[in-house]
Amino acid sequence: MTKNTSQIPNGVMLNAYPDSIGTNLSDIVTLLQKPALKDVFSLFYVLPTFFNSDLDRGFSIIDYNINKELVSQADLDALKELDIMLKFDIVLNHLSVGSPQFKDILKNGDASPYKDFFIDWNNFWKNHTASYKDGVAVPEKQYLDKLFMRKPGLPVLNVLFPDGTERPYWNTFYQKITLQPITLEDIAHLGLSQDDKDHAITLINDTIEAGGILEQLRFRESVQPHKQDVLNIVHKNRSYLGQMDVNANAPEVWDFYDETLRKVASFGCKILRLDAFAYLHKEVGQTNFFNKPGTWTYLERIRQIAEKYDLTLLPEIHSEYGLGLHDEVASEGYQIYDFFFPGLVIHTIETGDNTALTKWATEVVTKGYKTVNMLGCHDGIPVLDLKGIIDKEGNTHQGLLKDQEIEHIIDTILDRGGRVKNIYDPEGNKISYYQVNATFYSALGEDDNKLLLARALQIFMPGIPQVWYLDLFAGKNDYAAADAAGTGGHKEINRTTLTQEDITSGLQKPVVQMQLAMLRLRNTSPAFNGTMAISNNTATEMHITWSNDVNKVVLQANLKTNRFKISYQENGENVIITNE
């Protein structure tokens, strides 16, 4: 762990985009300044639209400068005045195609100082290619089969170089090419008559609008000889969206990381979440997800940079419990995300059986994991993480839940309106479920008592509780936003922007007020700096105590009725928080 870990408060962490409430970060600051929010949060995970980005709601970074449309220095000063510590992301694996580095490549090609900053797919596989498809290398089968795909097809984006050639670049997460309509000005130099120009423009633009294939067009006889010239103009003017994988073998990339960590520290960052770090190290013959020892080598290099700027690292990794990667990361001294907890809570509440949750909580305590846990978040509700695996030798490594129990979670959430995201093989076939997208409130059937019980379980779990702003206000699935965002819009179901009116009315609701009371207790009680004890549990009842020498907080929960009682002493008085 980095040297400043002890400086991180064992309090409650808010999680939101800068514009999740109102129109900018200033509106969130205004909320945090309200008496109702006093002492509720010690930390704030601000999602990466804090920076300049263009895609994936912030996770396609253009640069790590403050997004001045959403954030001001006054906001950061106000958060410091509230004694709220900041957590940010660095997206280690990729940068936007709109980043200064990649734009320089598109402009200057091989003459760019950043020509090695990203990964030329064909060059990476040049000695291990079985064939080419539309100019893109298809790796030999023994290498292709090892790749972990986050979307159908090969993970590439074809970009046009200044010399007119196309080159595919490694692109794990997202890519899109948009052809722009042409104008008279674009083809004025071709020497066509006005009528021929009108013909070419109409045919090209109608085909682009219809999503047709330009190369299959047949122009009138007088224009056909200029077809390739016209197509070259169209392709030269095309625009890109994409998250381009960086080449961590390039020294320039590590200089960039150093500059970025210095910059985020200057903004007040104390905790740095390493998004997509497990995809960073790539090597022929290895998987592209957490290969070893390369991933460990890179993580150690990042840790050494983080220590210079007094940053605590939080590596983000989604993988099956049976792989044990969470245990490996924790054993190296890092804080870890508890991606197992959300699904376990839903399973516990929906089945009325805490066996799996208790087993996991006991493991966290026994092994001394330093975790950040959550219910909902900006992403989905993880389900892949709960799985077991069968290794190459045929040995079975159990998951936290059985496959049929995981399927029950998925089916329950989908029946309540959730959406699902899967992972794929290189041919585009689904090979596994990944996450389910829904608000946590809707995943629980929009039942106030279930949400309150889930929150009670969260604050009594080991680790720092991270609270998604929409969960705090019992947000419901936003189907209109998910549908409007298209095929990749499943995440928008849980990203509704709350207005000031939503906040004002929400603060009057008992389900919100009781959550605030529980979170304030968790954020301020010294008992949670003590030890945890799970005792007298049955499958349907939980009894959890946190205590130190002078303070004690007790949770008693009945999973049959979704009722709970939290008891503690404050100023010599017995206090109870309950939904009974």
Side-chain angles (χ1 to χ4, degrees):
M1 187 66 63
T2 52
K3 62 185 179 183
N4 73 320
T5 303
S6 61
Q7 300 174 16
I8 305 302
N10 182 27
V12 179
M13 182 186 299
L14 177 65
N15 180 202
Y17 293 98
D19 57 346
S20 287
I21 294 170
T23 59
N24 52 40
L25 187 57
S26 179
D27 290 327
I28 296 181
V29 171
T30 298
L31 171 64
L32 293 172
Q33 291 170 333
K34 290 180 179 293
L37 274 293
K38 181 176 172 57
D39 295 329
V40 172
F41 296 107
S42 295
L43 305 111
F44 184 8
Y45 172 23
V46 191
L47 286 156
T49 47
F50 180 98
F51 309 111
N52 294 313
S53 60
D54 62 0
L55 184 67
D56 196 19
R57 196 67 186 273
F59 286 90
S60 181
I61 300 289
I62 295 173
D63 63 52
Y64 285 92
N65 296 319
I66 288 176
N67 177 357
K68 294 182 179 179
E69 292 184 2
L70 300 180
V71 181
S72 71
Q73 183 60 48
D75 300 330
L76 302 183
D77 293 341
L79 289 169
K80 186 175 182 181
E81 183 69 21
L82 288 167
D83 200 24
I84 292 179
M85 190 173 289
L86 297 180
K87 169 183 158 189
F88 292 140
D89 286 283
I90 177 174
V91 187
L92 284 182
N93 180 68
H94 49 266
L95 278 177
S96 167
V97 70
S99 64
Q101 295 88 345
F102 205 89
K103 287 174 71 175
D104 196 274
I105 292 176
L106 293 176
K107 179 181 178 181
N108 297 308
D110 287 330
S112 170
Y114 300 106
K115 66 183 180 68
D116 296 323
F117 199 94
F118 301 91
I119 303 174
D120 182 319
W121 173 270
N122 283 1
N123 186 58
F124 185 93
W125 295 107
K126 65 181 178 181
N127 297 320
H128 307 280
T129 298
S131 61
Y132 287 86
K133 182 178 180 181
D134 299 326
V136 178
V138 178
E140 295 171 0
K141 188 176 188 324
Q142 66 266 34
Y143 304 125
L144 184 63
D145 288 347
K146 290 186 176 182
L147 296 184
F148 182 81
M149 301 297 190
R150 289 296 301 269
K151 59 181 185 290
L154 293 175
V156 298
L157 175 69
N158 284 303
V159 299
L160 190 67
F161 265 53
D163 62 4
T165 61
E166 277 195 342
R167 298 190 193 178
Y169 273 78
W170 201 314
N171 174 271
T172 294
F173 288 93
Y174 184 92
Q175 79 281 346
K176 182 179 180 181
I177 296 174
T178 301
L179 300 179
Q180 308 297 334
I182 60 173
T183 65
L184 283 170
E185 184 179 354
D186 292 326
I187 61 173
H189 64 287
L190 293 183
L192 296 170
S193 69
Q194 184 62 48
D195 188 52
D196 283 344
K197 291 175 185 176
D198 291 340
H199 163 76
I201 290 171
T202 299
L203 194 56
I204 286 287
N205 290 350
D206 286 351
T207 303
I208 290 174
E209 184 176 358
I213 301 174
L214 296 179
E215 284 69 21
Q216 295 179 356
L217 289 180
R218 180 72 184 178
F219 291 103
R220 65 171 56 154
E221 187 173 339
S222 56
V223 180
Q224 188 65 21
H226 297 276
K227 175 181 177 178
Q228 193 57 53
D229 294 330
V230 174
L231 294 185
N232 289 342
I233 291 168
V234 173
H235 287 300
K236 183 179 179 181
N237 292 337
R238 68 192 183 188
S239 62
Y240 305 96
L241 281 175
Q243 297 156 284
M244 312 310 297
D245 290 34
V246 301
N247 174 20
N249 288 318
E252 300 93 329
V253 169
W254 291 94
D255 291 341
F256 171 77
Y257 289 155
D258 191 293
E259 175 191 357
T260 299
L261 267 61
R262 177 194 58 78
K263 187 177 294 185
V264 299
S266 74
F267 298 148
C269 178
K270 289 297 181 182
I271 303 176
L272 190 62
R273 176 180 179 267
L274 305 182
D275 184 77
F277 86 94
Y279 294 91
L280 181 63
H281 189 272
K282 297 177 177 67
E283 181 179 347
V284 173
Q286 295 280 348
T287 178
N288 57 318
F289 179 80
F290 212 113
N291 61 59
K292 307 170 193 175
T295 300
W296 289 122
T297 301
Y298 284 173
L299 193 54
E300 178 58 29
R301 289 183 69 178
I302 289 291
R303 173 154 56 180
Q304 291 174 11
I305 298 172
E307 287 180 347
K308 289 198 304 181
Y309 301 113
D310 204 24
L311 296 168
T312 293
L313 298 182
L314 178 57
E316 179 260 5
I317 179 169
H318 277 293
S319 70
E320 297 91 335
Y321 173 87
L323 278 174
L325 291 183
H326 65 284
D327 188 59
E328 292 186 44
V329 173
S331 68
E332 292 293 322
Y334 294 98
Q335 289 187 330
I336 60 172
Y337 252 123
D338 184 354
F339 286 124
F340 311 109
F341 183 67
L344 287 174
V345 169
I346 293 173
H347 169 77
T348 298
I349 291 175
E350 294 302 326
T351 63
D353 186 340
N354 66 68
T355 305
L357 178 61
T358 300
K359 175 185 175 183
W360 169 238
T362 302
E363 181 177 345
V364 173
V365 172
T366 302
K367 295 191 175 182
Y369 295 154
K370 297 178 177 64
T371 63
V372 173
N373 59 61
M374 79 289 289
L375 298 177
C377 69
H378 69 278
D379 212 339
I381 297 170
V383 286
L384 169 75
D385 304 71
L386 299 167
K387 284 175 59 68
I389 65 160
I390 300 175
D391 64 25
K392 296 177 181 178
E393 288 73 36
N395 300 311
T396 297
H397 301 266
Q398 297 294 334
L400 285 168
L401 295 177
K402 298 175 181 178
D403 283 354
Q404 59 266 35
E405 292 173 321
I406 299 172
E407 293 287 355
H408 180 258
I409 293 172
I410 296 172
D411 292 342
T412 297
I413 298 175
L414 293 182
D415 286 345
R416 293 169 176 169
R419 309 288 170 91
V420 68
K421 178 175 173 59
N422 302 310
I423 55 178
Y424 301 86
D425 66 16
E427 284 72 45
N429 302 307
K430 172 193 167 184
I431 57 175
S432 182
Y433 41 73
Y434 181 67
Q435 64 185 20
V436 189
N437 294 93
T439 72
F440 211 79
Y441 185 55
S442 290
L444 292 173
E446 299 176 2
D447 184 309
D448 287 3
N449 282 324
K450 287 183 178 180
L451 180 62
L452 290 170
L453 174 58
R455 184 69 70 206
L457 292 172
Q458 183 190 19
I459 69 169
F460 273 80
M461 277 292 289
I464 294 173
Q466 179 176 291
V467 179
W468 183 233
Y469 74 101
L470 203 55
D471 291 345
L472 182 60
F473 289 91
K476 299 180 181 180
N477 286 343
D478 191 338
Y479 303 112
D483 293 341
T487 55
H490 47 278
K491 296 179 182 180
E492 298 306 314
I493 201 170
N494 187 28
R495 295 177 176 177
T496 304
T497 297
L498 298 178
T499 66
Q500 295 298 341
E501 291 74 19
D502 293 330
I503 298 301
T504 299
S505 61
L507 289 174
Q508 307 305 312
K509 296 178 180 179
V511 68
V512 176
Q513 294 173 349
M514 190 173 292
Q515 285 187 81
L516 290 173
M518 287 191 283
L519 294 171
R520 185 177 294 107
L521 172 66
R522 172 62 182 83
N523 194 55
T524 59
S525 174
F528 291 100
N529 293 318
T531 58
M532 173 189 180
I534 302 175
S535 59
N536 301 321
N537 271 14
T538 66
T540 61
E541 295 183 351
M542 298 193 74
H543 189 282
I544 305 175
T545 301
W546 281 90
S547 61
N548 59 16
D549 292 338
V550 296
N551 305 98
K552 183 168 72 171
V553 182
V554 178
L555 169 68
Q556 294 171 286
N558 187 317
L559 303 178
K560 284 185 177 180
T561 62
N562 299 315
R563 305 294 177 174
F564 68 89
K565 180 170 68 174
I566 298 172
S567 55
Y568 61 100
Q569 281 199 338
E570 187 174 281
N571 299 323
E573 298 290 331
N574 293 324
V575 181
I576 292 177
I577 301 174
T578 181
N579 66 344
E580 291 179 347

